Amino acid sequence: MNWANRITLIRIFLIPVIIALMVIVTFENSSLYNGWDQWLTIEGDNFTYSLPISYLIAGILFIIASLTDLLDGFIARRYNQVTTFGKFFDSIADKLLTNTVLIVFACANIIPVWMVVLLIARDFVIDVVRQILATQKVVMAANQLGRVRAAMEMFGMTILFFIGFRMFNGHSLKTGQWDEFGWVNQIIMIPMYLATVLSLAAAGNYIFLNRKTLFDMTVIKKPKLENGQENNEKNK
C-alpha cells in the first residue's frame, strides 16, 4: 500500500472519532448525548462564549482530515501513485466526512435541516449523473465552480466547529443578537449559504454540460451476442 492510500485510510479512520466527539455534547433542544460536559468559557462585556472541549478537538481533527484530502491527491499525482483503491475510497471518505458532520450539525440545531437536505441531495444527484455518464464512457471532470464550492463548504463547516450561535448561548428560532436568526450568526453562516448556492449551481452546470448524454431519448440497443452466447441466454 502506497502513502497516498495510507493517508486516505487515515481520513476514513478519523471520521468516527470526529462524529463521536460531536455527539457527546448536548446543546439546548438537541437530541445528542451529554457525555463530556467540559467547556472553554470566555466572559465578555455583553456575551459569554462557551466552546465544548470535544468540539475543539473534533474541529482540529476535521481540519486535519480536510488537509489529508489535498495531501493524498497531491502525492498520488506527484509520485504516480494513483490506484483504483485510492479513487474509490478517496471519494467515499470525502462524502462520509462532509455528510456525517452536516447531519450532526443539523441534529445539534447548528445549521438548518433544509440546508443539509440540499447539500446531501446534490451529492446524490451528482453521483447518479456520474454513473449514467460512465455507462456512456463519458468522464465527468471537476470544473472550477465545483472546486470553489468544495472549498467554501469545508471553510464554512470548519468555522461552525468553533463559532456559532450555540457557542454564544443563543436560542433557536429567535432573532436576538446572539440567537439563530440574529445578525451575528447570519454573518457566521455566510460561507454555508454561499456553499449551498454554489452546490446547486455546480450541479446544474454539470447537468447542462452533459445534457446531450443525459437526456438522450434514443433506445439503448442490447449488444449483439454470438451464437453460443445467444443459445445460452435462451436456455436460461
Side-chain angles (χ1 to χ4, degrees), residues 78-134:
R78 178 67 175 80
Y79 297 101
N80 194 26
Q81 296 182 358
V82 178
T83 63
T84 301
F85 174 92
K87 288 182 178 180
F88 176 73
F89 281 96
D90 182 65
S91 178
I92 291 293
D94 293 343
K95 295 186 184 307
L96 283 176
L97 178 64
T98 56
N99 292 341
T100 52
V101 169
L102 284 172
I103 291 171
V104 178
F105 275 153
C107 291
N109 293 333
I110 291 176
I111 58 178
V113 174
W114 63 263
M115 182 179 291
V116 176
V117 171
L118 286 178
L119 291 173
I120 294 179
R122 178 263 178 196
D123 278 349
F124 174 77
V125 170
I126 290 299
D127 285 342
V128 172
V129 170
R130 186 176 285 111
Q131 291 176 11
I132 294 173
L133 295 178

Short mmCIF file of all heavy atoms in Angstrom, two decimals, residues 78-134:
data_model
loop_
_atom_site.label_atom_id
_atom_site.label_comp_id
_atom_site.label_asym_id
_atom_site.label_seq_id
_atom_site.Cartn_x
_atom_site.Cartn_y
_atom_site.Cartn_z
N ARG A 78 1.79 13.39 -7.90
CA ARG A 78 3.20 13.78 -7.97
C ARG A 78 4.11 12.58 -8.12
O ARG A 78 5.10 12.60 -8.86
CB ARG A 78 3.57 14.56 -6.70
CG ARG A 78 5.04 14.98 -6.62
CD ARG A 78 5.38 16.00 -7.70
NE ARG A 78 6.73 16.49 -7.56
CZ ARG A 78 7.82 15.86 -7.98
NH1 ARG A 78 7.69 14.68 -8.61
NH2 ARG A 78 9.02 16.37 -7.82
N TYR A 79 3.79 11.50 -7.41
CA TYR A 79 4.65 10.32 -7.42
C TYR A 79 4.03 9.13 -8.16
O TYR A 79 4.43 7.99 -7.94
CB TYR A 79 4.99 9.92 -5.98
CG TYR A 79 5.77 11.00 -5.25
CD1 TYR A 79 5.13 11.85 -4.36
CD2 TYR A 79 7.13 11.18 -5.48
CE1 TYR A 79 5.83 12.86 -3.70
CE2 TYR A 79 7.83 12.17 -4.83
CZ TYR A 79 7.18 13.01 -3.95
OH TYR A 79 7.88 14.01 -3.30
N ASN A 80 3.05 9.42 -9.00
CA ASN A 80 2.42 8.39 -9.84
C ASN A 80 1.93 7.21 -9.00
O ASN A 80 2.23 6.05 -9.26
CB ASN A 80 3.42 7.90 -10.90
CG ASN A 80 2.73 7.10 -11.99
OD1 ASN A 80 1.53 7.27 -12.25
ND2 ASN A 80 3.47 6.22 -12.63
N GLN A 81 1.13 7.52 -7.96
CA GLN A 81 0.60 6.50 -7.06
C GLN A 81 -0.92 6.40 -7.15
O GLN A 81 -1.59 5.98 -6.21
CB GLN A 81 1.02 6.80 -5.61
CG GLN A 81 2.52 6.73 -5.38
CD GLN A 81 2.89 6.98 -3.93
OE1 GLN A 81 2.03 7.26 -3.09
NE2 GLN A 81 4.17 6.88 -3.63
N VAL A 82 -1.49 6.79 -8.29
CA VAL A 82 -2.93 6.71 -8.48
C VAL A 82 -3.36 5.25 -8.61
O VAL A 82 -2.80 4.51 -9.43
CB VAL A 82 -3.36 7.51 -9.73
CG1 VAL A 82 -4.87 7.37 -9.95
CG2 VAL A 82 -2.97 8.97 -9.59
N THR A 83 -4.30 4.82 -7.80
CA THR A 83 -4.80 3.44 -7.84
C THR A 83 -6.32 3.44 -7.85
O THR A 83 -6.97 4.43 -7.48
CB THR A 83 -4.32 2.64 -6.60
OG1 THR A 83 -4.87 3.23 -5.42
CG2 THR A 83 -2.79 2.64 -6.51
N THR A 84 -6.90 2.32 -8.27
CA THR A 84 -8.35 2.17 -8.22
C THR A 84 -8.85 2.25 -6.79
O THR A 84 -9.89 2.87 -6.50
CB THR A 84 -8.76 0.83 -8.85
OG1 THR A 84 -8.29 0.78 -10.20
CG2 THR A 84 -10.28 0.67 -8.84
N PHE A 85 -8.12 1.64 -5.86
CA PHE A 85 -8.45 1.71 -4.44
C PHE A 85 -8.51 3.17 -3.98
O PHE A 85 -9.45 3.59 -3.30
CB PHE A 85 -7.39 0.95 -3.63
CG PHE A 85 -7.55 1.07 -2.13
CD1 PHE A 85 -8.29 0.13 -1.43
CD2 PHE A 85 -6.95 2.11 -1.43
CE1 PHE A 85 -8.43 0.24 -0.05
CE2 PHE A 85 -7.09 2.23 -0.06
CZ PHE A 85 -7.83 1.29 0.62
N GLY A 86 -7.51 3.94 -4.36
CA GLY A 86 -7.45 5.33 -3.95
C GLY A 86 -8.59 6.15 -4.51
O GLY A 86 -9.19 6.97 -3.81
N LYS A 87 -8.91 5.96 -5.80
CA LYS A 87 -10.00 6.71 -6.41
C LYS A 87 -11.33 6.42 -5.72
O LYS A 87 -12.12 7.33 -5.45
CB LYS A 87 -10.11 6.35 -7.90
CG LYS A 87 -8.99 6.90 -8.77
CD LYS A 87 -9.23 6.51 -10.22
CE LYS A 87 -8.16 7.09 -11.13
NZ LYS A 87 -8.39 6.70 -12.55
N PHE A 88 -11.57 5.14 -5.42
CA PHE A 88 -12.84 4.74 -4.81
C PHE A 88 -12.96 5.25 -3.38
O PHE A 88 -13.92 5.92 -3.02
CB PHE A 88 -12.98 3.22 -4.87
CG PHE A 88 -14.21 2.70 -4.18
CD1 PHE A 88 -15.46 2.87 -4.75
CD2 PHE A 88 -14.12 2.05 -2.96
CE1 PHE A 88 -16.60 2.39 -4.12
CE2 PHE A 88 -15.25 1.57 -2.32
CZ PHE A 88 -16.49 1.74 -2.90
N PHE A 89 -11.94 4.94 -2.55
CA PHE A 89 -12.04 5.27 -1.14
C PHE A 89 -11.82 6.76 -0.87
O PHE A 89 -12.30 7.28 0.14
CB PHE A 89 -11.05 4.43 -0.33
CG PHE A 89 -11.54 3.04 -0.07
CD1 PHE A 89 -11.15 2.00 -0.89
CD2 PHE A 89 -12.42 2.77 0.97
CE1 PHE A 89 -11.61 0.71 -0.68
CE2 PHE A 89 -12.88 1.49 1.19
CZ PHE A 89 -12.48 0.45 0.37
N ASP A 90 -11.12 7.46 -1.76
CA ASP A 90 -10.98 8.90 -1.59
C ASP A 90 -12.33 9.58 -1.73
O ASP A 90 -12.70 10.46 -0.94
CB ASP A 90 -10.00 9.46 -2.62
CG ASP A 90 -9.79 10.95 -2.47
OD1 ASP A 90 -9.25 11.37 -1.43
OD2 ASP A 90 -10.17 11.71 -3.38
N SER A 91 -13.11 9.16 -2.73
CA SER A 91 -14.45 9.71 -2.92
C SER A 91 -15.36 9.35 -1.76
O SER A 91 -16.14 10.19 -1.26
CB SER A 91 -15.04 9.20 -4.23
OG SER A 91 -16.35 9.68 -4.42
N ILE A 92 -15.29 8.09 -1.30
CA ILE A 92 -16.11 7.65 -0.17
C ILE A 92 -15.77 8.45 1.09
O ILE A 92 -16.66 8.90 1.83
CB ILE A 92 -15.89 6.14 0.10
CG1 ILE A 92 -16.47 5.30 -1.05
CG2 ILE A 92 -16.51 5.73 1.43
CD1 ILE A 92 -17.96 5.36 -1.17
N ALA A 93 -14.47 8.65 1.34
CA ALA A 93 -14.04 9.37 2.53
C ALA A 93 -14.53 10.81 2.52
O ALA A 93 -14.97 11.34 3.55
CB ALA A 93 -12.51 9.33 2.64
N ASP A 94 -14.46 11.46 1.36
CA ASP A 94 -14.92 12.85 1.25
C ASP A 94 -16.39 12.97 1.61
O ASP A 94 -16.80 13.85 2.37
CB ASP A 94 -14.68 13.38 -0.17
CG ASP A 94 -13.20 13.51 -0.48
OD1 ASP A 94 -12.40 13.52 0.46
OD2 ASP A 94 -12.87 13.60 -1.68
N LYS A 95 -17.21 12.10 1.04
CA LYS A 95 -18.65 12.18 1.25
C LYS A 95 -19.02 11.80 2.69
O LYS A 95 -19.92 12.41 3.28
CB LYS A 95 -19.38 11.28 0.25
CG LYS A 95 -19.20 11.75 -1.19
CD LYS A 95 -20.02 10.94 -2.15
CE LYS A 95 -19.74 11.36 -3.59
NZ LYS A 95 -19.89 12.81 -3.79
N LEU A 96 -18.36 10.80 3.24
CA LEU A 96 -18.62 10.42 4.62
C LEU A 96 -18.26 11.55 5.57
O LEU A 96 -19.01 11.86 6.50
CB LEU A 96 -17.84 9.16 4.98
CG LEU A 96 -18.37 7.82 4.48
CD1 LEU A 96 -17.41 6.69 4.85
CD2 LEU A 96 -19.75 7.54 5.06
N LEU A 97 -17.12 12.17 5.33
CA LEU A 97 -16.66 13.24 6.21
C LEU A 97 -17.64 14.42 6.21
O LEU A 97 -18.09 14.86 7.27
CB LEU A 97 -15.27 13.71 5.79
CG LEU A 97 -14.68 14.87 6.60
CD1 LEU A 97 -14.47 14.46 8.05
CD2 LEU A 97 -13.35 15.33 5.98
N THR A 98 -17.97 14.92 5.03
CA THR A 98 -18.82 16.11 4.96
C THR A 98 -20.27 15.81 5.35
O THR A 98 -20.86 16.53 6.15
CB THR A 98 -18.77 16.71 3.55
OG1 THR A 98 -19.16 15.72 2.58
CG2 THR A 98 -17.39 17.20 3.21
N ASN A 99 -20.83 14.73 4.82
CA ASN A 99 -22.25 14.46 5.05
C ASN A 99 -22.56 14.06 6.49
O ASN A 99 -23.59 14.47 7.04
CB ASN A 99 -22.75 13.40 4.09
CG ASN A 99 -22.78 13.88 2.65
OD1 ASN A 99 -22.77 15.09 2.39
ND2 ASN A 99 -22.80 12.97 1.70
N THR A 100 -21.69 13.27 7.11
CA THR A 100 -21.96 12.88 8.51
C THR A 100 -21.83 14.09 9.44
O THR A 100 -22.63 14.25 10.37
CB THR A 100 -21.00 11.77 8.96
OG1 THR A 100 -19.64 12.15 8.70
CG2 THR A 100 -21.30 10.46 8.27
N VAL A 101 -20.85 14.94 9.19
CA VAL A 101 -20.69 16.14 10.01
C VAL A 101 -21.89 17.07 9.82
O VAL A 101 -22.41 17.66 10.78
CB VAL A 101 -19.38 16.87 9.68
CG1 VAL A 101 -19.34 18.25 10.33
CG2 VAL A 101 -18.18 16.05 10.15
N LEU A 102 -22.35 17.22 8.58
CA LEU A 102 -23.53 18.05 8.32
C LEU A 102 -24.75 17.53 9.07
O LEU A 102 -25.53 18.32 9.63
CB LEU A 102 -23.82 18.09 6.82
CG LEU A 102 -22.92 18.96 5.95
CD1 LEU A 102 -23.21 18.72 4.48
CD2 LEU A 102 -23.08 20.43 6.30
N ILE A 103 -24.94 16.21 9.09
CA ILE A 103 -26.09 15.62 9.77
C ILE A 103 -26.03 15.90 11.27
O ILE A 103 -27.04 16.26 11.90
CB ILE A 103 -26.16 14.11 9.50
CG1 ILE A 103 -26.53 13.86 8.03
CG2 ILE A 103 -27.17 13.43 10.42
CD1 ILE A 103 -26.43 12.41 7.60
N VAL A 104 -24.84 15.77 11.87
CA VAL A 104 -24.71 16.04 13.30
C VAL A 104 -24.93 17.53 13.59
O VAL A 104 -25.56 17.89 14.58
CB VAL A 104 -23.33 15.59 13.83
CG1 VAL A 104 -23.19 15.93 15.31
CG2 VAL A 104 -23.16 14.09 13.63
N PHE A 105 -24.42 18.40 12.73
CA PHE A 105 -24.69 19.84 12.88
C PHE A 105 -26.19 20.11 12.88
O PHE A 105 -26.70 20.92 13.66
CB PHE A 105 -24.04 20.62 11.75
CG PHE A 105 -22.59 20.96 11.99
CD1 PHE A 105 -21.73 21.15 10.92
CD2 PHE A 105 -22.09 21.12 13.27
CE1 PHE A 105 -20.39 21.48 11.13
CE2 PHE A 105 -20.75 21.45 13.50
CZ PHE A 105 -19.90 21.63 12.42
N ALA A 106 -26.92 19.42 11.99
CA ALA A 106 -28.38 19.60 11.93
C ALA A 106 -29.04 19.08 13.19
O ALA A 106 -29.97 19.70 13.72
CB ALA A 106 -28.94 18.90 10.70
N CYS A 107 -28.59 17.93 13.70
CA CYS A 107 -29.15 17.37 14.94
C CYS A 107 -28.92 18.30 16.13
O CYS A 107 -29.74 18.37 17.05
CB CYS A 107 -28.55 16.00 15.22
SG CYS A 107 -29.03 14.71 14.06
N ALA A 108 -27.79 19.01 16.12
CA ALA A 108 -27.47 19.95 17.19
C ALA A 108 -28.09 21.32 16.96
O ALA A 108 -27.86 22.25 17.74
CB ALA A 108 -25.96 20.09 17.33
N ASN A 109 -28.88 21.46 15.88
CA ASN A 109 -29.52 22.73 15.52
C ASN A 109 -28.51 23.85 15.27
O ASN A 109 -28.79 25.02 15.50
CB ASN A 109 -30.51 23.17 16.60
CG ASN A 109 -31.69 22.24 16.71
OD1 ASN A 109 -32.07 21.58 15.74
ND2 ASN A 109 -32.27 22.16 17.90
N ILE A 110 -27.32 23.47 14.79
CA ILE A 110 -26.31 24.47 14.46
C ILE A 110 -26.54 25.02 13.06
O ILE A 110 -26.32 26.21 12.81
CB ILE A 110 -24.89 23.85 14.60
CG1 ILE A 110 -24.60 23.56 16.07
CG2 ILE A 110 -23.83 24.77 14.01
CD1 ILE A 110 -23.28 22.88 16.32
N ILE A 111 -27.00 24.17 12.15
CA ILE A 111 -27.37 24.61 10.81
C ILE A 111 -28.77 24.09 10.51
O ILE A 111 -29.19 23.07 11.07
CB ILE A 111 -26.38 24.14 9.73
CG1 ILE A 111 -26.26 22.62 9.71
CG2 ILE A 111 -25.01 24.76 9.94
CD1 ILE A 111 -25.35 22.12 8.62
N PRO A 112 -29.51 24.76 9.64
CA PRO A 112 -30.89 24.33 9.35
C PRO A 112 -30.94 23.02 8.58
O PRO A 112 -30.04 22.72 7.77
CB PRO A 112 -31.44 25.48 8.50
CG PRO A 112 -30.26 26.17 7.94
CD PRO A 112 -29.16 26.02 8.94
N VAL A 113 -31.99 22.25 8.83
CA VAL A 113 -32.14 20.95 8.19
C VAL A 113 -32.25 21.09 6.67
O VAL A 113 -31.71 20.27 5.93
CB VAL A 113 -33.38 20.22 8.76
CG1 VAL A 113 -33.65 18.93 7.99
CG2 VAL A 113 -33.19 19.92 10.24
N TRP A 114 -32.96 22.14 6.19
CA TRP A 114 -33.14 22.29 4.75
C TRP A 114 -31.81 22.42 4.02
O TRP A 114 -31.66 21.93 2.89
CB TRP A 114 -34.03 23.50 4.44
CG TRP A 114 -33.48 24.84 4.86
CD1 TRP A 114 -33.77 25.52 6.01
CD2 TRP A 114 -32.54 25.66 4.14
NE1 TRP A 114 -33.08 26.71 6.06
CE2 TRP A 114 -32.33 26.82 4.92
CE3 TRP A 114 -31.87 25.51 2.93
CZ2 TRP A 114 -31.46 27.84 4.52
CZ3 TRP A 114 -31.00 26.53 2.53
CH2 TRP A 114 -30.80 27.67 3.31
N MET A 115 -30.83 23.04 4.67
CA MET A 115 -29.52 23.19 4.05
C MET A 115 -28.83 21.83 3.90
O MET A 115 -28.23 21.52 2.86
CB MET A 115 -28.65 24.13 4.88
CG MET A 115 -27.27 24.39 4.30
SD MET A 115 -26.30 25.54 5.30
CE MET A 115 -27.22 27.06 5.02
N VAL A 116 -28.92 21.02 4.95
CA VAL A 116 -28.30 19.69 4.91
C VAL A 116 -28.96 18.83 3.84
O VAL A 116 -28.29 18.11 3.09
CB VAL A 116 -28.41 19.01 6.30
CG1 VAL A 116 -27.86 17.58 6.24
CG2 VAL A 116 -27.66 19.82 7.33
N VAL A 117 -30.29 18.91 3.75
CA VAL A 117 -31.02 18.14 2.73
C VAL A 117 -30.55 18.53 1.34
O VAL A 117 -30.30 17.67 0.48
CB VAL A 117 -32.53 18.35 2.88
CG1 VAL A 117 -33.28 17.72 1.70
CG2 VAL A 117 -33.02 17.73 4.19
N LEU A 118 -30.43 19.82 1.07
CA LEU A 118 -30.00 20.29 -0.26
C LEU A 118 -28.58 19.84 -0.58
O LEU A 118 -28.30 19.38 -1.69
CB LEU A 118 -30.09 21.81 -0.33
CG LEU A 118 -31.49 22.43 -0.44
CD1 LEU A 118 -31.41 23.94 -0.46
CD2 LEU A 118 -32.21 21.91 -1.69
N LEU A 119 -27.68 19.95 0.39
CA LEU A 119 -26.28 19.59 0.14
C LEU A 119 -26.12 18.09 -0.09
O LEU A 119 -25.38 17.67 -0.99
CB LEU A 119 -25.41 20.04 1.32
CG LEU A 119 -25.25 21.57 1.48
CD1 LEU A 119 -24.52 21.89 2.77
CD2 LEU A 119 -24.51 22.16 0.28
N ILE A 120 -26.80 17.28 0.70
CA ILE A 120 -26.69 15.83 0.53
C ILE A 120 -27.41 15.38 -0.74
O ILE A 120 -26.93 14.50 -1.47
CB ILE A 120 -27.24 15.10 1.78
CG1 ILE A 120 -26.35 15.40 2.99
CG2 ILE A 120 -27.31 13.59 1.53
CD1 ILE A 120 -26.81 14.75 4.27
N ALA A 121 -28.57 15.99 -1.02
CA ALA A 121 -29.30 15.65 -2.25
C ALA A 121 -28.47 16.00 -3.47
O ALA A 121 -28.47 15.27 -4.47
CB ALA A 121 -30.63 16.39 -2.29
N ARG A 122 -27.75 17.09 -3.40
CA ARG A 122 -26.87 17.49 -4.52
C ARG A 122 -25.81 16.42 -4.77
O ARG A 122 -25.55 16.05 -5.92
CB ARG A 122 -26.23 18.84 -4.19
CG ARG A 122 -25.27 19.34 -5.27
CD ARG A 122 -23.85 19.02 -4.93
NE ARG A 122 -22.93 19.46 -5.98
CZ ARG A 122 -21.68 19.03 -6.10
NH1 ARG A 122 -21.21 18.12 -5.25
NH2 ARG A 122 -20.91 19.47 -7.07
N ASP A 123 -25.21 15.89 -3.68
CA ASP A 123 -24.21 14.83 -3.84
C ASP A 123 -24.83 13.60 -4.48
O ASP A 123 -24.21 12.94 -5.33
CB ASP A 123 -23.63 14.46 -2.47
CG ASP A 123 -22.52 15.40 -2.04
OD1 ASP A 123 -22.08 16.22 -2.88
OD2 ASP A 123 -22.10 15.34 -0.87
N PHE A 124 -26.06 13.26 -4.06
CA PHE A 124 -26.74 12.10 -4.62
C PHE A 124 -26.99 12.27 -6.11
O PHE A 124 -26.74 11.36 -6.91
CB PHE A 124 -28.07 11.88 -3.88
CG PHE A 124 -28.92 10.79 -4.46
CD1 PHE A 124 -28.62 9.46 -4.22
CD2 PHE A 124 -30.01 11.09 -5.26
CE1 PHE A 124 -29.40 8.45 -4.77
CE2 PHE A 124 -30.80 10.10 -5.81
CZ PHE A 124 -30.49 8.77 -5.56
N VAL A 125 -27.46 13.45 -6.50
CA VAL A 125 -27.72 13.71 -7.92
C VAL A 125 -26.44 13.62 -8.74
O VAL A 125 -26.41 13.02 -9.82
CB VAL A 125 -28.38 15.10 -8.10
CG1 VAL A 125 -28.44 15.48 -9.57
CG2 VAL A 125 -29.78 15.10 -7.49
N ILE A 126 -25.36 14.20 -8.23
CA ILE A 126 -24.09 14.17 -8.96
C ILE A 126 -23.58 12.74 -9.11
O ILE A 126 -23.05 12.36 -10.16
CB ILE A 126 -23.04 15.03 -8.24
CG1 ILE A 126 -23.41 16.52 -8.38
CG2 ILE A 126 -21.65 14.81 -8.82
CD1 ILE A 126 -23.46 17.01 -9.80
N ASP A 127 -23.75 11.92 -8.06
CA ASP A 127 -23.33 10.51 -8.15
C ASP A 127 -24.12 9.77 -9.22
O ASP A 127 -23.56 8.97 -9.98
CB ASP A 127 -23.50 9.82 -6.80
CG ASP A 127 -22.44 10.22 -5.80
OD1 ASP A 127 -21.40 10.75 -6.24
OD2 ASP A 127 -22.65 10.01 -4.60
N VAL A 128 -25.43 10.02 -9.28
CA VAL A 128 -26.27 9.38 -10.30
C VAL A 128 -25.84 9.83 -11.70
O VAL A 128 -25.70 9.02 -12.62
CB VAL A 128 -27.75 9.69 -10.07
CG1 VAL A 128 -28.60 9.19 -11.24
CG2 VAL A 128 -28.23 9.06 -8.77
N VAL A 129 -25.60 11.13 -11.86
CA VAL A 129 -25.15 11.66 -13.15
C VAL A 129 -23.83 11.02 -13.55
O VAL A 129 -23.64 10.62 -14.71
CB VAL A 129 -25.02 13.19 -13.09
CG1 VAL A 129 -24.33 13.72 -14.34
CG2 VAL A 129 -26.39 13.84 -12.93
N ARG A 130 -22.92 10.91 -12.60
CA ARG A 130 -21.61 10.32 -12.90
C ARG A 130 -21.74 8.86 -13.34
O ARG A 130 -21.05 8.41 -14.25
CB ARG A 130 -20.70 10.44 -11.68
CG ARG A 130 -19.27 9.99 -11.93
CD ARG A 130 -18.39 10.21 -10.72
NE ARG A 130 -18.06 11.62 -10.57
CZ ARG A 130 -18.50 12.39 -9.59
NH1 ARG A 130 -19.33 11.89 -8.68
NH2 ARG A 130 -18.14 13.65 -9.51
N GLN A 131 -22.64 8.11 -12.69
CA GLN A 131 -22.84 6.71 -13.06
C GLN A 131 -23.44 6.59 -14.46
O GLN A 131 -23.03 5.72 -15.25
CB GLN A 131 -23.74 6.03 -12.04
CG GLN A 131 -23.10 5.84 -10.67
CD GLN A 131 -24.06 5.26 -9.66
OE1 GLN A 131 -25.14 4.80 -10.01
NE2 GLN A 131 -23.68 5.28 -8.39
N ILE A 132 -24.41 7.45 -14.77
CA ILE A 132 -25.02 7.42 -16.10
C ILE A 132 -23.98 7.74 -17.17
O ILE A 132 -23.90 7.06 -18.21
CB ILE A 132 -26.20 8.40 -16.17
CG1 ILE A 132 -27.33 7.94 -15.26
CG2 ILE A 132 -26.71 8.51 -17.61
CD1 ILE A 132 -28.47 8.94 -15.15
N LEU A 133 -23.16 8.75 -16.91
CA LEU A 133 -22.13 9.13 -17.88
C LEU A 133 -21.09 8.02 -18.04
O LEU A 133 -20.58 7.81 -19.14
CB LEU A 133 -21.46 10.43 -17.45
CG LEU A 133 -22.35 11.68 -17.44
CD1 LEU A 133 -21.56 12.88 -16.95
CD2 LEU A 133 -22.93 11.96 -18.83
N ALA A 134 -20.80 7.33 -16.94
CA ALA A 134 -19.81 6.24 -17.02
C ALA A 134 -20.28 5.12 -17.92
O ALA A 134 -19.48 4.50 -18.63
CB ALA A 134 -19.52 5.71 -15.61
#
